[in-house]
Amino acid sequence: MKKVNLSRRGFLKATGLAGSGLVLGFHWTGCTPDGTPAEIAKVVLEPNAYIKILSDGMVTLMSPVPEIGQGIKTAIPMIVAEELDVSWDQVKVEQAPLAPDLYIRQAAGGSQAIRQLWTSVRTAGAAGRRMLMEAAAREWQVPMEELTTNEGVIHHEKSNQSVTYGDIATKAADIEVPEEVELKDPKDFKIIGTSPKNVDVYDIVKGNPLFGMDMKKEGAVIAMITHPPAFGMRPKSVDDSAARAIPGIKDVFTITAFPADIDTPWTGNNAFPELVVVTGENTWNVMKAKKALKIEWETVTPGENTADHISKMEEQINAPLTEPDRIDGDPDAAFKKADKIIERTYSAPFLPHNTMEPMNFYANVTGDKVEFEGPTQTPQRLRDTTAKIFGIPEENIKVNMLRAGGGFGRRLYGHYGVEAAQISKKIGAPVKLIYTREDDMTQGTYRPDYRVKYKAGIDAEGNLIALTVIGTGTSGGPVVPNRFPAGAVDNYAAKNYSLDSNITTGAWRAPRSNFIAGAEQSFLDEVAEACGKDPMDFRLELFERSKTDPVGEKNDYDPDRFITLLKMTKEKCDWDNVPSGVSRGLSAYYCHNSYIAQIVDVEMRDGKPMLQKAWCGVDCGIVINKDGAINQVEGGILDGIGHAMYGNITFNNGVIDQQNFDKYRLIRFEEAPEAIETFFVDNGIDPTGLGEPAMPPIPGALANALYRATGKRLYHQPYIFELEDKDIDLG
Amino acid sequence: MATISLTVNKKTYKIEAEDDTPLLWALRENLGLTGTKYGCGVAQCGSCTVLVNGVATRSCVMPAKSFGDAEIITIEGLAENGGEALQDAWIEHDTPQCGYCQAGQIMSAAGLLKANPNPTDKEIDQAMNGNICRCGSYVRIKAAIKTAIKNGGVS
Ligand code: FES
Ligand code: FES
């Protein structure tokens, strides 16, 4: 049992535990399909911002973090329910709005929600339980220590009394928030580690409205934007006569969503502050009017080309290595002594996020107040930025987060919310801003295009004695200097360059890792082969080295956890006995505080490689929702395979060549592996996230399997071009 | 503006919309049936799939008025029209991640099972290839379809 002291300064506020008390009022607990409340239960007690105890024996648990498909709306309430000690059947979950005074870190990003909220939400649950127990102890005049709880009922064995949370809650209103609470011993967990369904699954499969795109708001007009056709341009003049002639069109105008003199990091990460706006009665008419606009654009900065990016990046990574970001030993000297040198370049193109639900947001600006609703990963940043731009207090800005039809990092950049607010302010009416798929794909914050060069030196005995990595990418390189293989190689150097660009780039599921993991793991596979070693043994040998005699000071991973995970994976997939006709590839990577090992099995059928099976070993510490975690892993694997295989955005004079799914290829149903088997290391370590970590390594496992199946090493994504011997399509 | 008659989930509606309004937007904005989703608008992603006389059909391109008196079933009407086992299988496998594509996936699967109650793996692949899931739930979708077949399929 772990004790948490709540009287520590700031903890109450920081965990949303302040402000208990009786809440009089009603609480909507459900809706019929026509939108009228189905039943009304009374909230009898709100011990803290996470918990509402209802009169009917149910509890409503608030989920503070935006749900983008990562399952957090199920996982966080599971943790609260565990410590509150109710059964999952008693729980209803509600999305909390942005409330920084009540909740910490209401953001979906970096796979950090579970890790960073773990202790505070456990504490919230435990504090709620303890307050109810105190009320029961007082009622029965018995010592609190003699009470036990189970599934929302408090028992006192000696006097043979029981009371439900709902019943005792009415008498707990004046109970103070406890100074100290005890958290459960993980071995007593009853909900954590099970597999309840996604709390929204019923509504999803029935088609009930959940998403921003689905919301109909009183008086809201539909708005769409038209942004310049190329990065580096802005609107010069607009001929809107044909657009205005379309029935149902209300207005056409230009806005500057982001004034140049206000610094708006993240939210304002967008190349097109000036936009042409069309508003109207319905989506179809506005779409038509958008097409009917005749806009003259002007060039501010020159449009860029993918081919130029490649040649500039080639220059950067092939320059002599000076001023490395990390250096151990003397790589140059070691290369001179080496028996074999392997040098390989890997690359990957820009990628759009392509959330299935395009960007959209509702805003209603009235005087100095703003009401927002929609899909966002970073509601607080939207509020900050809007307050700054409009010069209004933050408290005047409300943000309701809706279930997002995908995030992948795209909705960290809430410029579309600010755009909606600017439009609402301009027309004096509530607005629902919708991007078309083309707007979404061409006004992105892309995964940067990357290029990296690895060089390895191998001695006569087949030992890796030196390794260098030099990388670059648009607005930031992919190399993470202190990650593996740092620490495992005597002579090591890492260096990042960056390429300036007017193309907006940003975080895309597992930034940097989403490329560098695949490159590194492909390279190590080739190095293992050159060393004459089994790829699994070779990696284990490196981790052993890093564990027993680490090179350098700061290595950002725990080799022990890697070793345990690899050994487990080796056993699960029966590494030493690959079925005949199957070619197998391995990859392992650590990012966002979780460890992943992956295997891909490929079979050649009619001369074509088919993905037969993928295995995934996971060490993310304690697993909250087991099936939810497996779902994230499966998604990460498909995401990684799909994008490494097919994903490709190219630029010609600043214009994107792929504007919709007719030209942009996402992985399709038949291209998925036939089976995925996921397993977890059970080590009781505090949990870390899984939204991102399962994606980065898989391109490496895929490339390594495809090499064994086809004899061809793959270096440049999308792999499909190399695999089919086509020239890389530069658009 | 034209008056367009549509038969959706066994009810007949008269709506006022532009002649060229695609069925998708008529469903979503004129009838308030927002379960059918917009994903691409160019018949490439399958998010907007509905059943038209039992056949899985993209609703984002064809004008609403071209459907005449065809029987249209949307995700909202699927359970009452023989698709409940399919939806239950989707829940059993906890198939969705973000969920946005899933109505379209379910409707494509419904179309498949109506025409072919016992599809081979290859036939499932072919029927589902037109539906993108950006979150990568394909493995679960396949499992859900197989469970639905076992539990009575689509009537
Ligand atoms: S919206 Fe119709 S297929 Fe994409
Ligand atoms: S579940 Fe998110 S797009 Fe399919």
Side-chain angles (χ1 to χ4, degrees), chain A residues 603-677:
Chain A
E603 232 184 339
M604 293 303 281
R605 279 183 218 155
D606 309 325
K608 270 183 77 182
M610 304 294 292
L611 302 187
Q612 199 202 49
K613 182 162 179 180
W615 275 269
C616 187
V618 180
D619 176 2
C620 60
I622 293 167
V623 179
I624 311 299
N625 181 347
K626 189 145 183 222
D627 196 47
I630 294 172
N631 209 346
Q632 286 307 298
V633 166
E634 292 170 357
I637 286 176
L638 282 243
D639 193 0
I641 292 174
H643 284 93
M645 206 67 182
Y646 313 113
N648 193 27
I649 282 279
T650 51
F651 286 87
N652 248 312
N653 295 319
V655 179
I656 293 182
D657 299 306
Q658 302 79 8
Q659 312 220 344
N660 204 326
F661 297 129
D662 51 349
K663 291 255 181 66
Y664 186 86
R665 184 168 172 190
L666 275 166
I667 189 167
R668 297 275 175 171
F669 195 88
E670 69 176 0
E671 291 152 351
E674 280 159 32
I676 300 175
E677 189 177 324

Side-chain angles (χ1 to χ4, degrees), chain A residues 387-457:
Chain A
K388 243 194 210 175
I389 293 178
F390 287 179
I392 58 175
E394 283 203 16
E395 311 80 77
N396 290 9
I397 302 170
K398 288 206 179 88
V399 189
N400 257 349
M401 294 89 89
L402 296 178
R403 183 176 190 88
F408 313 106
R410 180 61 182 88
R411 295 188 225 266
L412 296 167
Y413 308 100
H415 57 90
Y416 49 93
V418 176
E419 289 159 13
Q422 293 281 21
I423 297 166
S424 171
K425 190 174 178 185
K426 168 109 181 174
I427 66 173
V431 161
K432 179 167 158 184
L433 171 68
I434 297 172
Y435 278 26
T436 62
R437 174 57 58 194
E438 291 83 359
D439 296 334
D440 193 276
M441 211 179 285
T442 57
Q443 190 179 347
T445 43
Y446 305 95
R447 194 283 297 274
D449 48 355
Y450 285 128
R451 212 162 187 86
V452 66
K453 188 172 77 172
Y454 281 95
K455 185 174 175 182

Side-chain angles (χ1 to χ4, degrees), chain A residues 49-69:
Chain A
Y50 290 90
I51 303 168
K52 294 180 172 127
I53 310 276
L54 307 185
S55 52
D56 62 358
M58 300 291 285
V59 296
T60 297
L61 301 181
M62 303 306 286
S63 181
V65 180
E67 172 63 57
I68 60 173

Side-chain angles (χ1 to χ4, degrees), chain A residues 197-198 205 213-214 282-284 288 353-354 356 403 406 437 627 631 634-635 639 660 667-668 670, chain B residues 20 22 28-29 35 37-40 44 75 87 91-92 94 96-98 100 129-130 134-135 138 140:
Chain A
K197 310 265 181 261
N198 168 353
V205 305
M213 286 291 278
D214 302 341
N282 68 54
T283 303
W284 178 244
K288 281 204 292 183
H353 295 81
N354 277 337
M356 220 50 220
R403 183 176 190 88
R437 174 57 58 194
D627 196 47
N631 209 346
E634 292 170 357
D639 193 0
N660 204 326
I667 189 167
R668 297 275 175 171
E670 69 176 0
Chain B
D20 55 356
R28 289 181 58 85
E29 295 187 352
K37 297 291 190 269
Y38 166 78
C40 71
Q44 293 289 323
I75 188 74
Q87 286 165 309
I91 295 174
E92 188 182 323
D94 211 11
Q97 286 178 46
C98 81
Y100 193 79
N129 250 353
R134 170 65 180 87
C135 298
Y138 299 134
R140 281 176 191 239

